[in-house]
Each structure stands twice: as C-alpha cells, then as structure tokens.
Amino acid sequence: MIYLELLWSFIQIGLFSIGGGYAAMPLIQRQVVDLHPWLTMTQFADIMAIAEMTPGPIAINSATFVGIQVGGLPGALVATIGCVLPSCVIVMTLAYVYYRFRGLTMVQGVLAGLRPAVIAMIASAGISLIILSFFGQRELPADLSGVQPIPVLIFCAALVILRKWKVNPIYVMAGAGLISIVVYSAF
Amino acid sequence: MDAEKKNYGKLFFSTFKLSACTFGGGFVIIPLMRKKFVEELHWIEEQEMLDLTAIAQSSPGAIAVNASILVGYHVAGVPGALVTVAGTVLPPLIIISIISFFYTAFRDNAIVNMAMTGMLAGVAAVICDVVITMAGGVLRQKRVLPVLVMLLSFAAVRFFNVNIILIILICGAIGAADTYLRARKGAGAK
C-alpha cells in the first residue's frame, strides 16, 4: 500500500528532523532516495532547489513533491499530513506542559546535545550534493578529472558571496541559475 | 461564539499569508509572526514569543509549522492549532503541486536544465554556508563534548552509513546525561 508507505516515511521525517529547515534534508534523502525508489538523486537535488525558491518549509515542499510523483494529489496530501502529524502531537503536548510549568531545562539539554549531530548530518548531505553538482553522479569517482568546471566556479563564487555579504539565498540561487544559462549558452 | 469564529478566520488567514511569504524556509517566519501576533494583534506577549520560538526550534518538524501550532494553541486551544497548521501547510502544498505538474516538461527543457545545473551548485553553496555558520557556533562554545559529538556523528553518517535516527537517539541521551551531570556539579559547587 503505497499511501501507507508514504505516510509512514514522512511521519519518520517529521518526527526526527529537529532544528528545522536543512535538518530535514538528510532524512528526506534517506527515505525517498536511499530506502525507497521514489526519487533519483538528481530529482532530489531539483526539489531542494525548488524548495529553496518557493515559500514554505523544505519538509512540506518535498512531501508535496514526492507525494505527487508517487501517488498524485492524494499522495501529496498523505505525505504532508504524515510530515506534520508528529509536530502536532509533540508541540501541542509541549505547549500544554509549557503553559503549566514554563521552563524545561532537561528538554533543552537533550536538544542541545542533538545540535552537533544535526550539523554533522547536514554537512554529510551537503557533501552528497557537492559531489552530484561537480561530477554529475552520486558517488565520488575514482578518477577526479571528470570534474565539471562551471558548477565548481559557480559554487565557489556563491559561497564567497554568501559568507561575505550575507545575501539572501534566494537571490544567490537565482543568480547561479541565470549565470549558468548564460555560460552554457555561450559555449 | 461569534468572536471565536472570527478568531479562527483571522488565525487561518494570518498564518496562510505568513506561510505564503516565507521564502527560504524555517527561521524567517519567526520575526514575521512576532510582528503579526505580538505587535499587531497583541495576542502574545514579547517574552512568551521567545519561549514559543525556543520550543518551536527544539521540537521535531518544521519550525514554521511548530510555531504556528503554538500560536494557534495559545489563542484557541487544539482547534486553533489545527486551523493554523492548515493555514501554514496549504500555501506550499498548492504551489509545489502546481510546479510538479509542469516538472517533467520543465526538466526536459534545455534552458531549464542549464539553470538547474547552476542552481544545484547554488544550493550546495547555501548548505555549505549554513554548515559553516552552525559548526562555528559549536566551536565557539569551547567545549570538547559537542565538537566530539559533531565529528563522530559526521564519520558515522558519511563513512559508516549508520541509521540517522539511531544517531539522533544516542546524541539526545548524551545531551540529557551531560545536562544532568552539569546540573549536579553546579549544585555541588554551591
């Protein structure tokens, strides 16, 4: 039953992505690329780019996208519901506790412990995307001479711009897309 | 009763508009929500908003969704939370649905392909930037344990393919133990 599988996958994504935004990325990759044959790594990278360019949380965006690819509009609804279900239960419980006790040192301690691990996971997922971008394939090839120079240059320029001037990521991505069109058309 | 109905409507449309305007995901929605619910509608106090932000950030799931659940719950209980979740989820659901129907046609287009190649490099850079900033925050704490957890988790995910959920559970337990021990040490020093 494809809808149940979707629901269960996105419940897990919703349940274990802590820290929002990019924290969900490695979990989504694992569920929809590695564990299930729902998206290719290229499609996954595309949805990350689309999610960045459109409003709304990345997890919801990819839930909708994956859901539609796998099971049409009902699939999108099921995946989205799965994605927010853990939040609804946990956050409402915490809200109840908060308004009763206000202040949760232990909970904050657990979450402080999670933060470094979450960063490590985002870093790993980021490296996967870099490999895909630079070499056009998922695994790092033994022969590194197949590297594509244009994505490498765009990546370096984008990173410098982001670090130095803290530009809104949407503009950086749009710029990267435009420059890429110009460069590939020229050659 | 009428006032309550109006609140549901207001809750829904406020969160709908906020979600439709939140590009780049996550944290961006917090200042927007503060402006709307603290400054404009006076439904939430300033300090309360900070606490709610901490809860939203530290709970599983998307920050925007979590924050809207908290606001909805605070204003109108569980039904309020359901209303705000719907308001937050619908804009991305609608927009991505529309995009994905054109996606295959888009993907085979040569120009879109060129743009996507560049944008992929762009996303990689954005994520790299996020990681540098976040890892810098961990290093600045000047504590060995978080750095160690970060390096070991990275090795586990990258080179040993350990299940992410297992890593999260273990690191959560380490965080709990660390907090407990530090609290005891703090109490003993007094």
Side-chain angles (χ1 to χ4, degrees):
Chain A
M1 196 40 197
I2 192 76
Y3 292 118
L4 278 180
E5 266 183 68
L6 264 179
L7 185 71
W8 178 232
S9 283
F10 277 92
I11 284 178
Q12 290 180 59
I13 291 169
L15 186 58
F16 289 103
S17 60
I18 291 165
Y22 299 104
M25 196 177 63
L27 288 151
I28 298 169
Q29 186 194 333
R30 185 175 167 79
Q31 286 292 336
V32 310
V33 182
D34 301 342
L35 292 180
H36 298 96
W38 290 336
L39 295 188
T40 64
M41 192 61 196
T42 310
Q43 282 178 312
F44 174 74
D46 287 346
I47 183 60
M48 285 302 133
I50 293 170
E52 187 72 45
M53 302 281 297
T54 49
I58 289 177
I60 306 290
N61 287 339
S62 47
T64 306
F65 188 84
V66 174
I68 284 187
Q69 301 291 317
V70 176
L73 267 183
L77 276 177
V78 166
T80 304
I81 289 170
C83 198
V84 295
L85 204 58
S87 284
C88 284
V89 175
I90 292 168
V91 174
M92 270 191 239
T93 312
L94 285 178
Y96 173 78
V97 174
Y98 167 75
Y99 283 111
R100 291 210 55 169
F101 303 107
R102 297 216 177 194
L104 304 144
T105 326
M106 203 59 203
V107 173
Q108 279 165 13
V110 170
L111 300 159
L114 290 184
R115 219 156 292 141
V118 171
I119 299 168
M121 290 169 196
I122 300 173
S124 175
I127 289 173
S128 299
L129 281 185
I130 290 175
I131 293 171
L132 181 67
S133 171
F134 288 4
F135 297 98
Q137 61 185 67
R138 269 198 80 175
E139 303 295 333
L140 192 66
D143 177 20
L144 295 183
S145 63
V147 64
Q148 301 171 312
I150 293 168
V152 175
L153 287 176
I154 291 177
F155 171 84
C156 294
L159 188 59
V160 168
I161 289 168
L162 282 164
R163 295 302 305 168
K164 244 192 147 145
W165 292 290
K166 313 240 173 284
V167 182
N168 187 329
I170 301 162
Y171 299 138
V172 174
M173 305 243 330
L178 279 176
I179 288 172
S180 174
I181 292 176
V182 172
V183 174
Y184 277 109
S185 305
F187 293 106
Chain B
M1 185 64 205
D2 255 9
E4 223 170 72
K5 258 188 197 155
K6 225 191 205 159
N7 266 356
Y8 287 143
K10 218 174 212 174
L11 270 176
F12 180 80
F13 286 111
S14 305
T15 44
F16 189 91
K17 272 188 279 183
L18 286 176
S19 177
C21 300
T22 315
F23 286 89
F27 212 72
V28 187
I29 204 166
I30 300 288
L32 296 175
M33 276 191 155
R34 206 193 67 91
K35 229 177 165 51
K36 183 88 198 168
F37 294 109
V38 178
E39 289 180 9
E40 212 179 303
L41 295 172
H42 300 288
W43 283 354
I44 296 171
E45 291 160 35
E46 184 80 56
Q47 183 58 45
E48 206 176 353
M49 191 70 212
L50 286 179
D51 290 344
L52 296 186
T53 306
I55 299 176
Q57 237 187 319
S58 46
S59 305
I63 292 177
V65 174
N66 295 348
S68 57
I69 291 173
L70 288 164
V71 170
Y73 182 87
H74 172 67
V75 175
V78 174
L82 295 179
V83 166
T84 48
V85 169
T88 305
V89 164
L90 276 177
L93 191 71
I94 295 167
I95 293 168
I96 297 289
S97 297
I98 295 168
I99 289 180
S100 66
F101 279 118
F102 298 108
Y103 171 74
T104 16
F106 263 147
R107 212 25 180 124
D108 298 334
N109 183 299
I111 293 186
V112 172
N113 244 316
M114 294 173 196
M116 278 299 195
T117 311
M119 278 165 59
L120 175 57
V123 184
V126 169
I127 289 160
C128 222
D129 175 49
V130 170
V131 169
I132 293 172
T133 306
M134 291 173 89
V138 170
L139 293 179
R140 269 195 298 280
Q141 288 177 18
K142 296 214 163 80
R143 293 190 61 217
V144 179
L145 185 70
V147 177
L148 204 64
V149 168
M150 190 160 72
L151 292 177
L152 288 178
S153 311
F154 181 80
V157 178
R158 188 79 217 157
F159 304 115
F160 301 105
N161 260 325
V162 180
N163 190 334
I164 289 172
I165 291 164
L166 185 70
I167 297 175
I168 286 183
L169 293 177
I170 291 173
C171 292
I174 292 175
D178 181 42
T179 310
Y180 176 73
L181 289 175
R182 285 214 290 172
R184 265 188 48 174
K185 219 163 130 194
K190 267 177 201 166

